[in-house]
Amino acid sequence: GGNAVVYVRPIKGAALAAMMAGGADIEPDADLQLVVSADGSPLMVGDSDEAVADWLAERNYGVVSLH
């Protein structure tokens, strides 16, 4: 299905805040990891590769990393 594959890409806090309604309180220089479904829907934001790996370990997704 459409949710079988997720994409992981790095994103700066400022870019993430700009994407979020209400201008979330995010450190602009923060280095974050954004996980999105194949259809582009955001699923998770992590503050480390380990946080994303832990979250993904609990789910059955195929993962593609974008650099």
Side-chain angles (χ1 to χ4, degrees):
N3 291 331
V5 174
V6 297
Y7 299 88
V8 180
R9 71 175 186 101
I11 188 169
K12 285 289 193 182
L16 181 63
M19 291 171 49
M20 298 179 69
D25 185 24
I26 300 171
E27 176 65 39
D29 292 329
D31 291 317
L32 304 169
Q33 300 294 319
L34 178 63
V35 181
V36 297
S37 66
D39 69 4
S41 300
L43 298 173
M44 187 263 193
V45 176
D47 61 358
S48 68
D49 292 338
E50 293 80 18
V52 171
D54 288 346
W55 186 84
L56 289 171
E58 298 174 4
R59 289 150 181 87
N60 189 22
Y61 290 121
V63 179
V64 177
S65 292
L66 301 177
H67 300 278

